[in-house]
Amino acid sequence: MTALDLSSPVAVAGTGTMGQGIAQVALVAGHPVRLYDAVPGRAGEAAAAIGARLDRLVEKDRLTGAERDAARARLTPVDGLAGLADCALVVEAVLERLEVKQELFRRLEDVVAGDCLLATNTSSLSVTAVGGALRNPGRLVGLHFFNPAPLLPLVEVVSGSATDVTSATRAYETARAWGKTPVACADTPGFIVNRIARPFYAEAFAVHEAQAADPATIDAVLRECGGFRMGAFELTDLIGQDVNESVTHSVWRSFFQDVRFTPSLAQRRLVESGRLGRKSGHGWFDYADGAERPEPHTAEPARAPAHVVAEGDLGPASELLGLIREAGIPVREEDEDHGTRLVLPGGGQLVLADGQTSVEFRDVVYFDLALDYRRATRVALSASQDTAPQTLAEATGLFQALGKNVSVIGDAPGMIVARTVARIVDLAHDAVSKGVATEEDIDTAMRLGVNYPLGPFEWSRRLGRGWAYDLLDDLHVRDPSGRYAPSLALYRHAYATEKREGSS
């Protein structure tokens, strides 16, 4: 099954921001495009707005004047659904309410030809449920674009339980012909991106709710240590707290209130107070004119330790040993069968976050996972009230000697980046095991849809055998609510890899 021919008319029903964006994508690709909106006059206004955006593309040398004029000639607002009768594809981008979408598609089915492909751009509703209102649900598919549709490359192509393979394939190939990067996905709550991205927000909020760190510090650690483009607090302020919380609630409810997707009470209070983020002028942060942005906690300068002893290879943090030597600090390496750690001159230990807490041990400081320890500009340390001040000072001085800012947070098991990445990896393995999508498509979706520095499976391979499982298993012992219980899929992955390596 191939993409729709460019001569085939494409319609967009619903002319808000997303609808206009999808229409622009199809229009620039070369299709005749029809715009429909239930509110009289809205389709014409949308056509004018799209025309203005085409003008800006010409100004930026992304379209020629002739291409713009040809696109404008192909764009037609219509007053009723009858104007969509000859369309080969209709994409709806109407209100995110099931009954509204079902009613639209029931009416469309009486208007368009039997071979017309119907698509919903829903981000939170079941594609299966939307199609359940149709006489022929096999021709309905999810085409989930990301906002702004003309700029963001990802499109999740979602097959409902009744979607025909030919419909899904045609939608996939059409999205690709439009210059997008499609990924195939089964109809699951949140699809790929909104399902697997939940821990990025949830774990940041949980660390804050536990009073282990403030929003500015958590965001800085996610950016400067974890390699994420934005922190969870600034990103949800940009998205809108009400919008982000609504998606979280939708996924949570759709999974029958699965504790792994539990919404944040702190975010609920923010929404209740009307602090919705940038659009309201205040969210986690204050966006009023002249308001000062809070700075992340950064430790005062401390003296570097005279030497360190490395017991074991430090696993995912093994590159630290080379950086420490480059900083002129002697490193003595010792084999160790019971863990990997750095021993500081005062006898305290520096350990990569593993899901345990500092308070359990005599004198341990944890440090967070980094995407790239050489390029990271900040590292978080975690200590308890029982940690010796000398140990914390030596740990701080060590990372400062490597050119890093140091943020000291409370005794949070799994810290910030480590627990976030481990949960993302777990949800990704669980999704593959349930047939939601392939490993390749999940990695592509998370890189392009939410700008993650690595896809979950790329991270999993980099971190090594059993790392995510072990961290979550330790976290689950300390929080037996089920939130951190590693999935059976992650267990199977870790155990199978161990078996293969043990027999080689």
Side-chain angles (χ1 to χ4, degrees), residues 437-449:
T438 65
E439 292 185 8
E440 181 181 4
D441 275 356
I442 287 175
D443 276 355
T444 298
M446 301 313 290
R447 285 196 312 269
L448 298 183

Side-chain angles (χ1 to χ4, degrees), residues 81 89-92 98-120 126-142 158 160-164 167:
L81 291 180
L89 166 65
V90 180
V91 184
E92 71 78 16
L98 180 60
E99 65 274 15
V100 173
K101 294 179 187 292
Q102 287 179 329
E103 176 61 21
L104 172 65
F105 282 119
R106 274 194 289 262
R107 294 173 60 201
L108 278 169
E109 202 170 26
D110 292 333
V111 171
V112 298
D115 60 352
C116 175
L117 184 63
L118 302 177
T120 172
S126 162
V127 172
T128 303
V130 173
L134 295 174
R135 294 188 297 274
N136 176 19
R139 61 168 161 172
L140 181 87
V141 65
V158 186
S161 297
T163 302
D164 293 334
S167 298

Side-chain angles (χ1 to χ4, degrees), residues 11-180:
V12 177
T15 59
T17 300
M18 182 58 78
Q20 291 181 32
I22 296 170
Q24 182 179 327
V25 170
L27 190 66
V28 171
H31 288 273
V33 173
R34 313 279 167 74
L35 290 174
Y36 166 77
D37 198 288
V39 178
R42 284 269 179 88
E45 293 171 3
I50 293 171
R53 284 201 288 273
L54 295 178
D55 289 339
R56 289 195 290 274
L57 290 178
V58 173
E59 292 170 3
K60 296 177 181 179
D61 292 327
R62 295 178 184 174
L63 279 181
T64 66
E67 289 170 333
R68 173 199 58 199
D69 295 343
R72 278 180 166 167
R74 295 194 301 270
L75 182 61
T76 307
V78 299
D79 295 329
L81 291 180
L84 312 183
D86 64 339
C87 289
L89 166 65
V90 180
V91 184
E92 71 78 16
V94 300
L95 194 63
E96 196 73 349
R97 288 173 50 188
L98 180 60
E99 65 274 15
V100 173
K101 294 179 187 292
Q102 287 179 329
E103 176 61 21
L104 172 65
F105 282 119
R106 274 194 289 262
R107 294 173 60 201
L108 278 169
E109 202 170 26
D110 292 333
V111 171
V112 298
D115 60 352
C116 175
L117 184 63
L118 302 177
T120 172
N121 183 57
T122 184
S123 61
S124 61
L125 299 176
S126 162
V127 172
T128 303
V130 173
L134 295 174
R135 294 188 297 274
N136 176 19
R139 61 168 161 172
L140 181 87
V141 65
L143 274 180
H144 181 217
F145 288 78
F146 289 74
N147 194 31
L151 297 181
L152 295 186
L154 184 69
V155 176
E156 292 176 318
V157 181
V158 186
S159 293
S161 297
T163 302
D164 293 334
V165 173
T166 53
S167 298
T169 303
R170 171 150 284 182
Y172 184 99
E173 294 300 331
T174 298
R176 183 156 62 179
W178 290 356
K180 297 301 181 181

Side-chain angles (χ1 to χ4, degrees), residues 91-275:
V91 184
E92 71 78 16
V94 300
L95 194 63
E96 196 73 349
R97 288 173 50 188
L98 180 60
E99 65 274 15
V100 173
K101 294 179 187 292
Q102 287 179 329
E103 176 61 21
L104 172 65
F105 282 119
R106 274 194 289 262
R107 294 173 60 201
L108 278 169
E109 202 170 26
D110 292 333
V111 171
V112 298
D115 60 352
C116 175
L117 184 63
L118 302 177
T120 172
N121 183 57
T122 184
S123 61
S124 61
L125 299 176
S126 162
V127 172
T128 303
V130 173
L134 295 174
R135 294 188 297 274
N136 176 19
R139 61 168 161 172
L140 181 87
V141 65
L143 274 180
H144 181 217
F145 288 78
F146 289 74
N147 194 31
L151 297 181
L152 295 186
L154 184 69
V155 176
E156 292 176 318
V157 181
V158 186
S159 293
S161 297
T163 302
D164 293 334
V165 173
T166 53
S167 298
T169 303
R170 171 150 284 182
Y172 184 99
E173 294 300 331
T174 298
R176 183 156 62 179
W178 290 356
K180 297 301 181 181
T181 302
V183 292
C185 175
D187 186 19
T188 183
F191 310 141
I192 298 175
V193 172
N194 281 329
R195 172 177 175 154
I196 295 173
R198 295 345 292 165
F200 179 73
Y201 314 108
E203 294 312 308
F205 298 163
V207 171
H208 171 55
E209 289 176 1
Q211 300 187 59
D214 61 275
T217 298
I218 295 169
D219 275 1
V221 172
L222 286 168
R223 288 192 313 267
E224 300 172 36
C225 185
F228 293 95
R229 185 167 297 184
M230 297 181 74
F233 296 90
E234 59 187 341
L235 180 55
T236 53
D237 268 356
L238 179 64
I239 294 169
Q241 298 302 330
D242 53 339
V243 174
N244 182 259
E245 191 204 31
S246 176
V247 173
T248 298
H249 268 269
S250 175
V251 173
W252 176 61
R253 288 192 302 267
S254 297
F255 275 114
F256 307 104
Q257 300 184 0
D258 187 330
V259 68
R260 295 176 302 167
F261 302 101
T262 300
S264 162
L265 180 58
Q267 188 180 40
R268 175 90 291 262
R269 293 292 180 258
L270 208 64
V271 173
E272 288 174 340
S273 71
R275 294 186 168 186

Side-chain angles (χ1 to χ4, degrees), residues 370-395:
L371 174 68
D372 181 335
Y373 284 99
R374 181 176 293 277
R375 298 176 61 185
T377 57
R378 183 178 299 271
V379 171
L381 301 180
S382 175
S384 75
Q385 65 272 20
D386 297 326
T387 304
Q390 179 183 353
T391 300
L392 183 56
E394 289 176 343

Side-chain angles (χ1 to χ4, degrees), residues 327-471:
I329 300 173
V331 179
R332 186 174 79 247
E333 295 188 54
E334 296 182 357
D335 292 334
E336 175 59 54
D337 295 330
H338 304 292
T340 59
R341 62 183 69 85
L342 291 173
V343 180
L344 299 164
Q349 300 176 18
L350 189 55
V351 181
L352 176 63
D354 59 7
Q356 301 183 80
T357 61
S358 295
V359 76
E360 300 172 54
F361 304 97
R362 184 181 63 83
D363 201 9
V364 166
V365 171
Y366 280 103
F367 65 96
D368 211 347
L369 178 71
L371 174 68
D372 181 335
Y373 284 99
R374 181 176 293 277
R375 298 176 61 185
T377 57
R378 183 178 299 271
V379 171
L381 301 180
S382 175
S384 75
Q385 65 272 20
D386 297 326
T387 304
Q390 179 183 353
T391 300
L392 183 56
E394 289 176 343
T396 299
L398 175 63
F399 281 103
Q400 288 173 342
L402 306 186
K404 317 300 181 188
N405 287 317
V406 173
S407 292
V408 179
I409 70 171
D411 192 14
M415 300 193 66
I416 298 170
V417 179
R419 70 199 278 180
T420 299
V421 170
R423 288 208 60 214
I424 289 170
V425 167
D426 182 43
L427 289 185
H429 278 280
D430 185 54
V432 168
S433 76
K434 290 178 169 60
V436 172
T438 65
E439 292 185 8
E440 181 181 4
D441 275 356
I442 287 175
D443 276 355
T444 298
M446 301 313 290
R447 285 196 312 269
L448 298 183
V450 278
N451 288 312
Y452 284 2
L454 293 174
F457 293 97
E458 292 174 309
W459 240 318
S460 184
R461 288 188 290 271
R462 176 184 286 201
L463 293 169
R465 175 183 60 81
W467 179 86
Y469 177 84
D470 291 342
L471 185 143

